[in-house]
Amino acid sequence: MEVGTGLYLMGLALAVGLGLPLAVIGAGLGQGRAVAGAMEGMARQPEMAGRIQTGMIIGLAFIESLVLFSFVIFFLLQGRLPTVSGQ
Amino acid sequence: MDGQLNALWVWTQTGIGANIPPPVFSVLSGIAALALLLVALAATRNMQRRPGWLQNLAEITYEFFDNLAVSVVGEHGRKYVPLAGTIFLFILFSNLMGLIPPGIAPTASLNTTIALALIVIVYVQYEGIRARGLGGYLKHFARWGEVPVLLSPLLFVIEIVSELAKPVSLSIRLYANMFGKEQVTMALITALAMPLFKATFIPLPIQFPVLLLGVLVAGVQAFVFSILTLIYLALATEHHEEHHGEHAHAH
């Protein structure tokens, strides 16, 4: 196998394996902050809980969609990985 | 035989087996729409002053979206209730279809979600033009009168790009959620449940927690899609209302 192909496959494997977890780390931190803020708001003003919750869910969906974009990329890249034969 | 059994199991659990041709998703979304229509007819036919459970459910759903539209868009948001509510119910029905074993969620295909997103975005542009007029609509893109004149062309381009990004993010969010759920289910079956069954003949439902999460995701994504519809409509028509307010004050 040529060096270039090997490097390409190595980069591909790293991208497939690490891309999604990195996105999940970032989105997890972001969602944690969002939920913490919303919970604090609800504890301070229980009468606003409904509206805060709606806003929180929309925010969470936005953050989550970023992960899902990288999830789609993950699937595109995964399809390019060759199957390993032998051994 | 082994591979066939594997594929059969995966298919009955997630609906993803071989490549599913797009017409299957069209037929499935048709079934979802038909089911929705039948439920709506059953709920509104023979309405009682003291409602039965189905009429009650329909009234609660309508009231919920009525309140939501008024709180997000304002008083003129009432006319968007049918659109937002229909989108919510259709996506909810579609998503839940994927949880009934041999079924596939029609929303697990990009074709369906892009169609839904295009309906929403085209309607948003239409409402934007109707609320502000064509000139006002273009001025809104350039933020005319809100920013220095030299900045307007730049903002115009940025706003056009962000407007084009709306249907993309709407459709990919829904698609990736449903597709992802099915893929994770399939991965758990083929990687854990199936080998375990072959080795010990104990059929453990390892994918079950993902399906529970799927019920939650089905509702949340349907809600997010419809509330984003309302938010986009509110953004497209908001200034119209403010001008009315100013006029009212002036008079």
Side-chain angles (χ1 to χ4, degrees), chain B residues 6-7 10 183-196 198:
Chain B
N6 215 334
V10 167
Q183 287 291 325
V184 171
T185 315
M186 186 165 82
L188 283 179
I189 293 173
T190 49
L192 294 174
M194 203 64 203
L196 188 78
K198 280 175 193 158

Side-chain angles (χ1 to χ4, degrees), chain B:
Chain B
M1 181 57 208
D2 233 29
Q4 272 177 342
L5 185 65
N6 215 334
L8 185 72
W9 197 351
V10 167
W11 182 70
T12 54
Q13 285 296 316
T14 67
I16 295 178
N19 291 325
I20 301 168
V24 173
F25 290 108
S26 313
V27 172
L28 283 167
S29 35
I31 293 173
L34 201 66
L36 190 53
L37 188 70
L38 289 179
V39 171
L41 279 178
T44 52
R45 202 174 51 94
N46 190 17
M47 285 198 280
Q48 302 289 323
R49 195 169 174 82
R50 188 182 296 161
W53 66 273
L54 191 58
Q55 192 191 338
N56 225 333
L57 197 67
E59 281 178 8
I60 289 170
T61 313
Y62 189 89
E63 267 178 30
F64 177 75
F65 277 97
D66 197 63
N67 290 335
L68 196 70
V70 170
S71 76
V72 172
V73 189
E75 201 53 45
H76 73 293
R78 251 175 233 282
K79 66 173 174 174
Y80 304 134
V81 173
L83 178 72
T86 309
I87 280 177
F88 172 79
L89 289 174
F90 176 69
I91 293 176
L92 186 70
F93 271 52
S94 307
N95 289 352
L96 291 178
M97 269 172 78
L99 292 168
I100 304 168
I104 319 162
T107 40
S109 157
L110 257 182
N111 298 311
T112 318
T113 56
I114 286 179
L116 284 170
L118 281 181
I119 291 172
V120 167
I121 289 304
V122 169
Y123 184 64
V124 166
Q125 308 312 320
Y126 170 73
E127 280 295 311
I129 292 175
R130 225 180 55 159
R132 298 199 176 102
L134 191 57
Y137 172 75
L138 292 175
K139 271 184 197 162
H140 168 68
F141 271 111
R143 295 276 185 274
W144 196 259
E146 294 172 44
V147 294
V149 177
L150 284 176
L151 216 53
S152 277
L154 182 67
L155 275 174
F156 186 75
V157 176
I158 292 175
E159 284 290 312
I160 291 281
V161 170
S162 89
E163 200 69 23
L164 289 176
K166 278 177 185 174
V168 174
S169 74
L170 260 184
S171 56
I172 289 186
R173 180 181 303 115
L174 181 57
Y175 159 71
N177 264 296
M178 301 322 292
F179 180 71
K181 188 208 79 198
E182 312 234 319
Q183 287 291 325
V184 171
T185 315
M186 186 165 82
L188 283 179
I189 293 173
T190 49
L192 294 174
M194 203 64 203
L196 188 78
F197 179 67
K198 280 175 193 158
T200 62
F201 292 102
I202 306 170
L204 274 185
I206 296 178
Q207 75 279 17
F208 181 64
V210 181
L211 295 180
L212 275 186
L213 196 67
V215 179
L216 184 72
V217 165
V220 167
Q221 287 308 314
F223 178 64
V224 163
F225 202 106
S226 66
I227 200 171
L228 280 177
T229 305
L230 286 175
I231 288 174
Y232 291 156
L233 283 167
L235 286 177
T237 55
E238 66 187 342
H239 282 265
H240 180 63
E241 284 299 295
E242 278 174 25
H243 284 306
H244 264 285
E246 284 165 16
H247 282 304
H249 279 297
H251 293 307

